[in-house]
């Protein structure tokens, strides 16, 4: 009898071992069926976005969760796990911190789990993580299926590595033009991720006189749009605080809210680094630049590529915009040159100027012949330096303090740069309404080999030597625009 019991136990042992082995070697079809019946914990996004902007203190903002989805109704059986955070501190040293205690809660339908990210956001206080960006790896366990014929079955542990931590909002302050204002006007709030908004969400703006303005809120891809629910445009110069709510990025939650600062101007262009519809109006002129001239000293230049140039004016400003990519180093710059129509100047009509962009045009150290620009603007984005010199009959005046531009600072991720030059500051150079100007722009590279031009727009107005450190400019082939 004892022998028979041992034999049965041995057979049972073989049987259970065989089941374990069988489960570990399920066919793809069988595994897919099991996953469908139980649900599988997953996080499909490459980044997790917190409710703020880079450098902002969000350490005490609630509702910062990472949404893990299962696809099936799920329950908890003593959730365990950890969050590993990696970031660069103020000295540039890489720091890793591990949080071994996790918490969270299920979504209302129990098919998702919102992992509390407050241990991470507690360090996003504007100082601990200067860049406002980091990486996290997350592991969770202790979930079971809570429906169907697999009810009670333990789910495999969840693990996701190297999720980028980024701010959801690109900035806190926005400028808007009220030119052509109507109920269909849209004021854009740019985000760093595709977003959606809860149905029926409205936003409220309050100006300095406590007047309130209601906005309907919609979203499309990476932009939240505010549509006015009031009849008259805010007065020129109005500044208000607008409270957004119900904003959600995939993989994040709960719905985020945010207060932004908004200024409204009756000028045609709001200088905020966003290409609004007025740049596409019939009054604007535009030239595309499909090719990159990007080389210098026989090396490929990676400091950006101009793809377009825009010019427009209203009663107060001459606007110039550059479109493309603008990755620059601290010493690289962007040069924008404007010359009015010197049709009576024989040298202008028959010649061109040869110069190294940064040394000659940007700083005005030499006299330029044959179409020298009446305005030359030099912008060093990384160091946030802006210089605008205006030529007239007696002097070169720097009007930098009067010029508006956006974005300022690091333009590595910028796609659109706007400049607004007051007409009142350039009228002495002959640039005024009714006059025709010629406009061009170039990237100015400062390398150890010397100064060179990486890209020029329009292509037709420039020629280069082999090293791109000498450029021939003919303003007659630059973008032509007549001020309205």
């Amino acid at each position: 009898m004892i022998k028979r019991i041992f034999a049965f136990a041995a057979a049972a042992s073989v049987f259970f071992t065989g089941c374990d082995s069988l489960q570990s070697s399920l066919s793809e079809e069988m595994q897919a069926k099991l996953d469908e019946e139980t649900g599988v914990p997953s996080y499909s996004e490459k980044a997790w976005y917190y409710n703020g902007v880079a450098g902002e203190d969000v350490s005490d903002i609630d509702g910062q969760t990472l949404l893990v989805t299962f696809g099936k109704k799920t329950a908890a059986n003593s959730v365990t796990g950890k969050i590993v955070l990696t970031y660069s501190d103020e000295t540039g040293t890489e720091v890793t911190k591990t949080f071994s205690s996790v918490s969270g809660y299920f979504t209302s339908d129990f098919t998702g789990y919102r992992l509390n990210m407050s241990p991470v956001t507690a360090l996003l206080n504007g100082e601990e993580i200067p860049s406002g960006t980091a990486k996290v790896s997350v592991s969770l366990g202790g979930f079971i299926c809570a429906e169907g014929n697999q009810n009670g079955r333990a789910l495999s542990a969840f693990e996701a590595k190297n999720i980028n931590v980024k701010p959801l909002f690109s900035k806190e302050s926005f400028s808007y033009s009220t030119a052509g204002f109507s109920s269909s006007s849209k004021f854009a709030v740019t985000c760093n991720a595709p977003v959606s908004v809860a149905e029926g969400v409205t936003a409220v703006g309050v100006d300095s006189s406590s007047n309130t303005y209601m906005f309907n809120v919609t979203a499309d891809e990476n932009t939240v749009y505010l549509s006015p629910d009031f009849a008259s445009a805010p007065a020129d110069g109005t500044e208000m605080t607008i409270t957004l709510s119900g904003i959600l990025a995939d993989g994040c939650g709960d719905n985020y809210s945010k207060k932004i600062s908004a200024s409204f101007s009756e000028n045609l262009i709001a200088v905020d680094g966003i290409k609004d519809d007025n740049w596409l109006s019939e009054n604007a002129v535009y030239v595309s630049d499909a090719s990159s001239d990007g080389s210098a000293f026989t090396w490929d230049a990676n400091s950006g590529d101009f793809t377009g140039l825009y010019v427009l004016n209203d009663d107060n400003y001459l606007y110039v915009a550059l479109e493309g990519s603008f990755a620059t180093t601290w010493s690289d710059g962007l040069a924008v040159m404007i010359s009015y129509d010197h049709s009576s100047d024989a040298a202008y009509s028959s010649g061109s100027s040869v110069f190294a962009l940064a040394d000659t045009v940007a700083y005005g150290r030499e006299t330029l012949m044959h179409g020298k620009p009446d305005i030359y603007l030099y912008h060093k984005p990384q160091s946030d330096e802006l210089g605008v010199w205006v030529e007239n009959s007696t002097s070169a005046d720097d009007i930098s303090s009067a010029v508006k531009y956006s974005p300022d600072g690091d333009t590595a991720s910028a796609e659109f740069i706007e400049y607004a030059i007051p007409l009142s500051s350039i009228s002495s150079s002959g640039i005024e309404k009714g006059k025709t100007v010629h406009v061009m722009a170039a990237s100015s590279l400062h390398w150890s080999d010397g100064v060179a031009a990486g890209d020029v727009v329009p292509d037709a107005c420039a020629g280069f030597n082999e090293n791109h450190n000498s450029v021939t400019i003919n303003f007659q082939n630059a973008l032509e625009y007549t001020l309205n």
Side-chain angles (χ1 to χ4, degrees):
M1 181 68 179
I2 295 176
K3 289 182 178 180
R4 291 184 62 187
I5 293 173
F6 276 123
F8 175 79
S13 175
V14 171
F15 174 78
F16 289 123
T17 302
C19 282
D20 293 340
S21 177
L22 178 63
Q23 182 174 341
S24 66
S25 60
L26 291 174
S27 68
E28 290 185 7
E29 182 178 350
M30 294 176 66
Q31 184 65 54
K33 185 175 186 301
L34 183 62
D35 291 345
E36 182 181 357
E37 292 177 349
T38 61
V40 178
S42 66
Y43 186 78
S44 59
E45 307 304 314
K46 295 181 179 179
W48 175 75
Y49 296 89
Y50 60 86
N51 187 8
V53 300
E56 179 185 12
D57 183 355
V58 299
S59 57
D60 60 353
I61 297 180
D62 295 327
Q64 308 278 278
T65 63
L66 183 149
L67 177 61
V68 178
T69 58
F70 297 92
K72 287 288 184 179
K73 187 176 291 187
T74 308
N77 182 17
S78 184
V79 174
T80 59
K82 65 180 179 180
I83 300 172
V84 180
L85 174 69
T86 304
Y87 63 92
S88 295
D89 66 13
E90 69 278 1
T91 67
T93 303
E94 186 174 281
V95 178
T96 298
K97 293 189 176 182
T98 300
F99 307 97
S100 298
S101 176
V102 296
S103 63
Y105 56 93
F106 286 101
T107 59
S108 59
D109 61 1
F110 288 89
T111 64
Y113 185 81
R114 295 192 181 278
L115 176 65
N116 180 11
M117 295 292 279
S118 60
V120 174
T121 56
L123 297 178
L124 292 168
N125 57 11
E127 297 180 1
E128 183 84 16
I129 307 177
S131 67
T133 61
K135 287 184 182 294
V136 292
S137 295
V138 176
S139 59
L140 294 172
F143 296 103
I144 58 175
C145 178
E147 67 178 42
N149 59 4
Q150 301 292 342
N151 190 1
R153 186 186 187 99
L155 300 182
S156 58
F158 166 75
E159 186 173 4
K161 296 181 178 180
N162 295 327
I163 300 172
N164 291 311
V165 175
K166 296 181 178 180
L168 178 59
F169 297 95
S170 65
K171 56 183 182 177
E172 290 183 291
S173 299
F174 295 86
S175 300
Y176 300 118
S177 168
T178 57
F181 176 88
S182 72
S183 59
S184 60
S185 296
K186 289 185 177 181
F187 305 115
V189 178
T190 53
C191 300
N192 294 321
V195 291
S196 58
V197 297
E199 185 176 355
V201 166
T202 58
V204 180
V206 181
D207 66 17
S208 58
S209 299
S210 298
N211 299 310
T212 60
Y213 304 80
M214 299 297 297
F215 298 87
N216 297 312
V217 185
T218 57
D220 183 24
E221 295 184 350
N222 288 43
T223 307
V224 174
Y225 290 101
L226 305 176
S227 299
D229 194 15
F230 46 89
S232 301
D236 185 46
T238 296
E239 296 187 0
M240 68 176 72
T241 299
I242 301 176
T243 302
L244 304 175
S245 61
I247 311 301
L248 183 63
D250 289 344
C252 306
D254 296 324
N255 292 340
Y256 288 171
S257 60
K258 180 67 179 170
K259 287 186 177 181
I260 64 167
S261 299
S263 59
F264 293 84
S265 170
E266 64 185 12
N267 292 321
L268 196 57
I269 296 296
V271 182
D272 57 2
I274 298 173
K275 185 173 69 174
D276 56 43
D277 290 343
N278 289 330
W279 282 114
L280 306 176
S281 69
E282 61 182 13
N283 294 324
V285 298
Y286 164 75
V287 62
S288 63
D289 182 4
S291 65
S292 171
D293 310 312
S295 65
F297 303 104
T298 70
W299 296 90
D300 288 339
N302 59 357
S303 296
D305 178 24
F306 298 147
T307 58
L309 174 67
Y310 296 78
V311 183
L312 184 63
N313 80 282
D314 58 21
D315 289 340
N316 298 312
Y317 292 93
L318 174 64
Y319 302 98
V320 178
L322 283 168
E323 192 168 36
S325 59
F326 304 100
T328 62
T329 67
W330 68 271
S331 56
D332 292 338
L334 308 175
V336 175
M337 289 166 275
I338 305 172
S339 178
Y340 80 89
D341 189 355
H342 296 265
S343 57
S344 61
D345 184 340
Y348 177 83
S349 301
S350 61
S352 57
S353 301
V354 179
F355 47 84
L357 283 171
D359 282 349
T360 310
V361 173
Y363 297 105
R365 286 189 258 191
E366 299 174 20
T367 300
L368 303 180
M369 303 299 295
H370 310 307
K372 93 177 159 182
D374 294 280
I375 298 174
Y376 35 104
L377 175 157
Y378 190 58
H379 179 198
K380 294 179 71 173
Q382 286 277 31
S383 56
D384 200 17
E385 296 176 13
L386 179 72
V388 182
W389 289 264
V390 177
E391 280 293 321
N392 57 39
S393 57
T394 58
S395 66
D397 303 318
D398 187 351
I399 58 168
S400 301
S401 60
V403 173
K404 300 178 181 180
Y405 64 102
S406 183
D408 55 6
D410 191 347
T411 63
S413 61
E415 296 179 353
F416 201 75
I417 299 180
E418 298 173 303
Y419 303 96
I421 305 171
L423 292 178
S424 60
S425 66
I426 58 178
S427 59
S428 61
S429 292
I431 298 178
E432 55 192 13
K433 285 192 173 185
K435 290 293 181 69
T436 297
V437 294
H438 294 80
V439 184
M440 62 152 293
S443 63
S444 180
L445 309 178
H446 291 231
W447 291 2
S448 58
D449 296 294
V451 177
D455 197 5
V456 171
V457 56
D459 279 328
C461 69
F464 306 91
N465 69 344
E466 182 181 5
N467 286 334
H468 279 220
N469 62 341
S470 182
V471 185
T472 302
I473 301 295
N474 189 336
F475 275 94
Q476 293 186 100
N477 294 332
L479 180 62
E480 185 174 283
Y481 176 76
T482 300
L483 279 70
N484 299 305

